[in-house]
Amino acid sequence: MTDGFEDLLAANRAYAESFDLAGFDGIAHAGVAVVTCMDSRIDPLRMLGLAPGDAKIFRNPGGRVTEAALEALVLGVHLLNVRRVLVVPHTRCAMASATLDELRARVGESAEQDASWQSFAVVEDQDAALADDVRKVRSHPLIPATVQVGGFVYDVDTGLLDQHC
Ligand SMILES: [Zn+2]
């Protein structure tokens, strides 16, 4: 085991003292699933007026609909009450504003070694990628047409969502 987590574990003990989420099931009570970016400026529950227990959240760099995201959505739709899916990339996303070569160079500089072998799912055209991602969800054979799927861009400067597709 490594040191270096004490502050977080202390915070966790304080959290557990007033823990009120015990006995929750794993269902998405608001019937919502969100695929969004790992960006720390995004608070996926609060931005939708939701609370713990309400939604399934799947995050990755860029908020892309990957195979793993589709796996989560299929489980969400069939076993966890998901009826609406929001795909939510955001403004000023590093994955959509840098090229693959730029990201590899920046990581390589930080790592002080070659990073040219590392894959990064960079986005050249965020709107086109979003439309493609929404299409992937809508056309998935295990996601029924009754599930509503929308593509939105979250503005990290205003907190607003803008529906694109
Ligand atoms: Zn991002």
Side-chain angles (χ1 to χ4, degrees), residues 57-122:
I57 311 292
F58 188 93
R59 306 185 75 158
N60 60 29
R64 301 304 312 278
V65 175
T66 57
E67 281 302 311
L70 287 169
E71 177 185 333
L73 292 175
V74 167
L75 287 170
V77 164
H78 287 285
L79 305 182
L80 303 166
N81 193 45
V82 169
R83 296 291 172 262
R84 288 184 290 174
V85 175
L86 296 86
V87 182
V88 188
H90 64 98
T91 58
R92 300 206 276 125
C93 183
M95 302 306 289
S97 54
T99 66
L100 179 57
D101 285 345
E102 282 165 358
L103 273 185
R104 283 174 167 161
R106 283 162 60 189
V107 170
E109 200 173 314
S110 168
E112 296 180 340
Q113 60 174 290
D114 175 48
S116 63
W117 51 271
Q118 176 68 53
S119 66
F120 295 104
V122 294

Side-chain angles (χ1 to χ4, degrees), residues 6 15 34 46 99:
E6 286 82 358
Y15 172 74
V34 181
R46 283 210 306 152
T99 66

